[in-house]
């Protein structure tokens, strides 16, 4: 979906719309899909700077880090995106040469940034040990690796020099 920064030259202009992410490919280990994405943009134009105040509400189907099951997350948040039509050395500014540009990448990046890296369902806990695997804490794993001997070198201990 395209947006025109010149629309926001009119004081108090608000752009409101829905986005369809049904054809968007996500990282299947983090987000499966985004539904019902609605956004509202209030913006101000200052010479070469376009400041977008974006409010987003959507339903995200994320993946549980513990069980790999679907976890529904309802998002309702606001953020600010600064766009300039001049290349500047500022990592908080995005460059868009033309007045008309795609808004989808900004919306999707804001949504992805809102999803925690580790998603779990309410009340979900790590699985217990099972057949062929064990659950260790990081400290237990590091201690085990420190005390582990490499069997490939054990045969050399039997050689008499």
């Amino acid at each position: 979906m395209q947006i025109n920064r010149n629309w926001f030259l009119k004081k108090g202009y608000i752009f409101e719309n829905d986005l369809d992410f049904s054809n968007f490919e996500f990282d299947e280990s983090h987000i499966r899909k985004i539904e019902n994405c609605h956004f509202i943009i209030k913006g101000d134009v200052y010479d070469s700077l376009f400041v977008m105040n974006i409010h987003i509400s959507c339903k995200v189907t994320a993946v549980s880090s513990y069980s790999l099951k679907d976890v529904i997350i309802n998002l309702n948040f606001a953020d600010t995106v600064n766009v300039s039509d001049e290349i500047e050395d500022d990592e908080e500014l995005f460059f868009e040469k033309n007045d008309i540009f795609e808004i989808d990448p900004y919306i999707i990046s804001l949504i992805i940034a809102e999803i925690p890296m580790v998603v779990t369902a309410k009340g979900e806990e790590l699985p217990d040990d099972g057949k062929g695997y064990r659950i260790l804490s990081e400290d237990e794993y590091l201690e085990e690796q420190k005390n582990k001997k490499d069997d490939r070198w054990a045969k050399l201990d039997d050689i008499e020099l």
Side-chain angles (χ1 to χ4, degrees):
M1 173 177 298
Q2 293 187 331
I3 189 170
N4 187 337
R5 82 176 83 212
N6 291 326
W7 295 340
F8 297 91
L9 291 172
K10 180 182 174 190
K11 200 73 169 162
Y13 180 80
I14 297 173
F15 182 70
E16 185 171 354
N17 214 324
D18 294 318
L19 279 177
D20 178 19
F21 290 111
S22 60
N23 294 326
F24 193 86
E25 292 185 30
F26 296 101
D27 175 8
E28 284 291 320
S29 63
H30 190 230
I31 296 175
R32 295 225 166 103
K33 63 183 172 180
I34 296 176
E35 299 176 60
N36 308 327
C37 182
H38 182 77
F39 68 92
I40 301 169
I41 299 176
K42 297 176 184 175
D44 294 304
V45 179
Y46 307 99
D47 295 326
S48 66
L49 181 64
F50 176 36
V51 179
M52 292 186 288
N53 296 306
I54 305 174
H55 181 268
I56 301 171
S57 57
C58 63
K59 184 170 125 179
V60 177
T61 303
V63 180
S64 169
S65 298
Y66 289 175
S67 65
L68 302 179
K69 294 179 182 175
D70 289 354
V71 177
I72 305 298
I73 301 173
N74 290 308
L75 293 178
N76 192 6
F77 67 98
D79 209 336
T80 303
V81 175
N82 300 315
V83 177
S84 177
D85 60 4
E86 296 177 1
I87 297 176
E88 297 185 29
D89 191 24
D90 187 346
E91 56 189 48
E92 297 206 8
L93 276 179
F94 294 96
F95 172 70
E96 290 290 347
K97 179 179 158 186
N98 300 317
D99 288 338
I100 300 173
F101 58 91
E102 289 291 325
I103 193 66
D104 300 20
Y106 297 103
I107 302 288
I108 192 68
S109 65
L110 291 173
I111 292 171
I112 290 172
E114 281 294 309
I115 303 297
M117 290 303 293
V118 177
V119 175
T120 57
K122 190 173 184 176
E124 191 173 42
E125 295 181 7
L126 279 172
D128 295 329
D129 295 347
K131 185 177 180 181
Y133 68 92
R134 299 182 295 141
I135 305 294
L136 301 174
S137 70
E138 184 176 0
D139 292 334
E140 291 170 332
Y141 173 76
L142 292 174
E143 184 65 30
E144 191 174 281
Q145 291 301 313
K146 188 170 77 174
N147 295 330
K148 187 176 181 180
K149 293 188 180 184
D150 191 347
D151 292 336
R152 295 175 296 178
W153 299 103
K155 295 288 183 190
L156 293 176
D157 292 339
D158 296 338
I159 297 176
E160 291 184 31
L161 298 175

